[in-house]
Amino acid sequence: MMTGKQAAQLAASYIGSGPSTFYAYYSRNVSEFRSGDWCACFASCIVMMAGATCAGLPGVYCPSMRNAGVDAGKAVSVANAKAGDIVYFNWDSNSRADHVGICESVNASSRTITTI
């Protein structure tokens, strides 16, 4: 199993790859991919490639993936995030996750996270 930093580096190595890369990997390793959020498919594939486990993953729907993490007691604050963590975004301030990425780095002083 990789460290979080190694998983973030793995994710970075795929920058520029299109969704088909991850749909194909997901189909080979989980089930036939029919539809879903490609960002979620990407995060799921990176976690699988890293040999890690994460509540709600593999999955291809951000809201259910995020909810599984929260229900499992695995959610952390921005202040406690670290490289390799799964980060969910809620851009429209409703109760659903809209996007997911892999944490690359954390700037504690500005309370920001850089994701892939």
Side-chain angles (χ1 to χ4, degrees):
M1 183 168 76
M2 295 181 181
T3 66
K5 185 175 181 176
Q6 290 170 324
Q9 291 169 336
L10 174 65
S13 76
Y14 283 99
I15 291 174
S17 299
S20 61
T21 300
F22 306 102
Y23 294 155
Y25 185 90
Y26 195 94
S27 293
R28 285 191 310 271
N29 293 281
V30 179
S31 63
E32 183 178 343
F33 185 85
R34 295 194 185 276
S35 66
D37 302 326
W38 95 262
C39 58
C41 187
F42 167 75
S44 291
C45 290
I46 295 299
V47 167
M48 287 187 286
M49 290 173 184
T53 59
C54 183
L57 281 75
V60 293
Y61 184 59
C62 294
S64 60
M65 292 164 54
R66 180 223 170 251
N67 292 346
V70 170
D71 291 347
K74 300 297 182 180
V76 298
S77 67
V78 171
N80 293 320
K82 57 189 181 302
D85 282 352
I86 304 298
V87 178
Y88 294 97
F89 298 83
N90 183 355
W91 290 317
D92 53 10
S93 299
N94 61 13
S95 61
R96 289 188 323 267
D98 301 309
H99 184 60
V100 63
I102 308 289
C103 179
E104 181 176 37
S105 63
V106 177
N107 183 326
S109 62
S110 66
R111 295 185 44 155
T112 59
I113 298 174
T114 301
T115 63
I116 302 164

